[in-house]
Amino acid sequence: MKLSPSVRLELMRTARAAIDRSLLSGSPTGVSVRRTEPGLVAAVTTYAVPQLATDWRQILQPTGTNIAISAVFTHQAPKVRFISFRKPTAICELADLLLVVDNIRTGKRHAALIQAKMAAQRGTVIISRPQDKLQLELFQNWPRFNFLEPIYKLTNVDFHSGGFANDCGQYGVIDRHCVSPPVWSQMLPSTVPGKTLAAPVLAKFIVDLVQGRVGRDATPALENDWSRTVEALMTVTYGRPFHHRQSLGQLAFPRGNTTQAFFLQGNLIQMSVTTDGSLPADAEPRLELIDVEPPNRALSTIWIELSND
């Protein structure tokens, strides 16, 4: 998507403001402690989205572009199995967050996986735990892997087929050290562990993804393992909360005023929000509490859909 420099700057400025507010204030449910990695990811995926959609709707309308944004937070992403340098059978989460941009006008989809990590020191991410090293190995090398959950129906997945595997994922480093609000920086896996100095913030990454400058082409028609994986993740993620993944116009709840949360014994399991930015800037989405655990732990996702006015 082509954007003028002024529009691009406004999108980045408002996205940064919405994300900063969410990282500072936390999730509107108050269930997850915002000092933790899951709590901060939950805040960005569910608290920043309504404000971001409201601001972007106003910015993009003069360009003839409509926008709809939905987000789902789930704690514990799908797990995958692969052969590691460290052990014959390695199992870890695929990622913490999936970002997807669907441009209805062009039929193109761009997507990226993000692994979130808290900065161990100011401006520094350190990988020390064995499980974290397995996760880093997955993102740095993208060996063939299998999904553990049968619902995804994906085995022997090869991100090197049909494109550049290095474009599939990045690390999102959240820095709370003497920083208010916390800063979410995007780092290439090849630079982890390391310093966040000069790394772009999440807001810039999202705008660049809208323009197709980062991430990887995941258009379903490509029919490679990357596009199939993104489609499977989207189908499972949105299949239960929204019932109709192909369009944000036919949701289980009215668009622009929807939040759905799942709780199990006091812990947040899943929360989703969808909006076209039509809510007033100071309005909070309605919270619907459901105390039955969803059947599948989908991957936390932010989905941006662009279409003609």
Side-chain angles (χ1 to χ4, degrees):
M1 178 182 182
K2 292 184 179 180
L3 298 171
S4 69
S6 60
V7 169
R8 173 180 163 81
L9 186 62
E10 274 300 288
L11 292 179
M12 285 194 292
R13 184 187 65 80
T14 53
R16 178 71 185 266
I19 291 169
D20 284 355
R21 178 190 173 199
S22 70
L23 292 173
L24 186 63
S25 303
S27 170
T29 66
V31 175
S32 296
V33 180
R34 60 179 180 268
R35 294 176 180 271
T36 65
E37 177 189 302
L40 292 169
V41 173
V44 169
T45 52
T46 57
Y47 198 29
V49 162
Q51 183 64 56
L52 189 151
T54 298
D55 294 337
W56 279 21
R57 182 173 187 259
Q58 296 173 356
I59 296 168
L60 291 174
Q61 269 191 336
T63 71
T65 301
N66 278 333
I67 186 170
I69 306 180
S70 60
V72 174
F73 166 77
T74 61
H75 187 37
Q76 295 185 354
K79 288 183 170 56
V80 297
R81 179 192 294 114
F82 62 96
I83 298 176
S84 165
F85 297 127
R86 294 175 172 82
K87 54 197 308 186
T89 301
I91 295 176
C92 68
E93 293 180 349
L94 175 61
D96 287 313
L97 180 62
L98 172 67
L99 295 177
V100 179
V101 175
D102 275 325
N103 191 325
I104 305 304
R105 294 176 295 188
T106 63
K108 292 288 187 179
R109 166 182 288 174
H110 259 75
L113 293 166
I114 296 177
Q115 178 63 29
K117 291 297 297 179
M118 300 297 291
Q121 303 170 8
R122 185 171 184 177
T124 306
V125 59
I126 297 173
I127 306 297
S128 56
R129 297 191 310 166
Q131 194 64 24
D132 291 340
K133 290 181 179 179
L134 288 178
Q135 185 78 56
L136 180 59
E137 181 183 335
L138 179 69
F139 267 59
Q140 286 182 337
N141 302 306
W142 288 118
R144 291 175 183 261
F145 61 86
N146 299 328
F147 277 84
L148 295 189
E149 290 86 347
I151 190 171
Y152 292 98
K153 301 177 182 177
L154 290 170
T155 59
N156 199 31
V157 176
D158 182 9
F159 281 176
H160 294 276
S161 173
F164 297 102
N166 291 341
D167 294 335
C168 295
Q170 290 202 358
Y171 267 63
V173 180
I174 308 169
D175 193 344
R176 292 183 52 254
H177 294 274
C178 304
V179 180
S180 183
V183 177
W184 182 316
S185 301
Q186 289 290 109
M187 297 181 65
L188 295 171
S190 60
T191 66
V192 177
K195 301 289 185 180
T196 61
L197 183 66
V201 295
L202 178 60
K204 181 180 185 302
F205 186 85
I206 294 175
V207 175
D208 285 344
L209 188 67
V210 167
Q211 294 188 276
R213 294 181 175 183
V214 297
R216 180 174 170 183
D217 189 347
T219 306
L222 294 174
E223 295 188 343
N224 55 37
D225 281 4
W226 169 244
S227 65
R228 280 190 285 266
T229 296
V230 173
E231 180 66 16
L233 291 168
M234 294 282 286
T235 300
V236 173
T237 297
Y238 290 97
R240 177 175 170 81
F242 299 147
H243 299 293
H244 187 242
R245 199 210 62 75
Q246 297 301 322
S247 170
L248 282 178
Q250 300 292 328
L251 303 180
F253 301 97
R255 179 167 52 175
N257 191 31
T258 302
T259 297
Q260 197 177 29
F262 297 86
F263 292 87
L264 186 66
Q265 297 178 349
N267 295 317
L268 180 63
I269 299 299
Q270 178 170 313
M271 182 163 59
S272 59
V273 59
T274 181
T275 176
D276 62 359
S278 61
L279 283 174
D282 59 351
E284 296 292 348
R286 182 181 68 249
L287 184 65
E288 306 219 0
L289 304 183
I290 302 174
D291 58 4
V292 178
E293 183 177 4
N296 304 293
R297 300 291 183 85
L299 182 60
S300 295
T301 304
I302 296 178
W303 177 25
I304 299 173
E305 189 181 44
L306 304 167
S307 60
N308 288 326
D309 205 352

